[in-house]
Amino acid sequence: MKYTYSIQKVSALSLGSWVTFGDQISDDVAEALMIKAYENGVNFFDNAEIYANGKSEIVMGKILKKLAWDRITYLVSSKVYWGGAWPNQKGLMRKHVVEACHGALRRLQVEYIDLFYCHRPDLHTPIEETVWTMHNLVQSGKILYWGTSEWTAQQITEAHYWAERHSLVAPIVEQPQYNMFERSKVEQDFLPLYKTFGLGTTIWSPLASGVLTGKYLDKLPDDSRMGMKNMGWLKDRVMADTAKLDKVKELHKLSQELGISMVSMALCWCLRNPNVTSVILGASKVVQLEENLRCTDSMPKLTPDVITRIDEILQNKPVIVEY
């Protein structure tokens, strides 16, 4: 397993719990997935207060408690923004951020959280207040580092401005969506931030919610994520995009020509970006995770010529402006 630096050493592949833990899969399967990941060098496990309305963190916390891994061998994250229905259970105001942190610590059954993300920007709370709150949580030892998720480059820059102005701990990582169909933030918007702030990225949805696995080419599998009742919005959005599905068919042909799975090709495509710190994997079955973890074996197949062919199929490569 490759490890990259973003202050801490983070495995290039990590395991996320969105949709699966506490919802789609049993606790036993969740435990088997974490063991398989850990035994294959994964040291980062991603979570959030909103995942399964807190059940995801409860499940992961019980597993961590049971397995009793040396705490220095793994990193665990949580995210704050959507906490509940009450007015002060949503957003990045000081009250909710502090209470969300305490709640995550209880549910995950850990003494500190390695990475604590602001799950979305809060337009109703001054960024300065959020930066101060995160700084205080770091100073108290409840979190080690903090970051953002789906923030704009301007919002991240503003957070750094306030941190520098008051000598506070700044965000070190952003968690954006990144895959063959979602490229502009990671490949274009954040370029100045990598150089200026050393920003790391732990990217989610590398397989575009399963679209880049190729399993939706013919029909929707019964046990797929999009087959879940609460994911109907995703099914409608994806299956209606015929242009995207046509591109997936061409990508599938290319992967067959290369002699690798489409999953491996899509994951390696993300991993080859030097500004990607870790690719968060999602899985509902151990065999599925095993396939994902083996993707690095296919990295040599993604030659410059192959990357060019992928770009020709996608027709969405961002225009890069030199800084």
Side-chain angles (χ1 to χ4, degrees), residues 190-200 275 320-323:
F190 292 160
L191 283 181
L193 308 187
Y194 304 135
K195 295 181 179 180
T196 305
F197 305 127
L199 183 74
N275 296 313
I320 305 301
V321 178
E322 294 294 333
Y323 292 90

Side-chain angles (χ1 to χ4, degrees), residues 220-238:
L220 188 69
D222 295 332
D223 61 347
S224 72
R225 176 176 296 180
M226 290 188 205
M228 299 171 62
K229 291 183 179 180
N230 63 340
M231 299 299 283
W233 60 272
L234 181 62
K235 172 186 173 183
D236 294 339
R237 187 176 71 183
V238 170

Side-chain angles (χ1 to χ4, degrees), residues 148 151-160 171 174 190 193 199:
T148 59
W151 281 33
T152 66
Q154 175 60 37
Q155 289 162 338
I156 296 170
T157 300
E158 187 175 344
H160 277 269
E174 158 68 15
F190 292 160
L193 308 187
L199 183 74

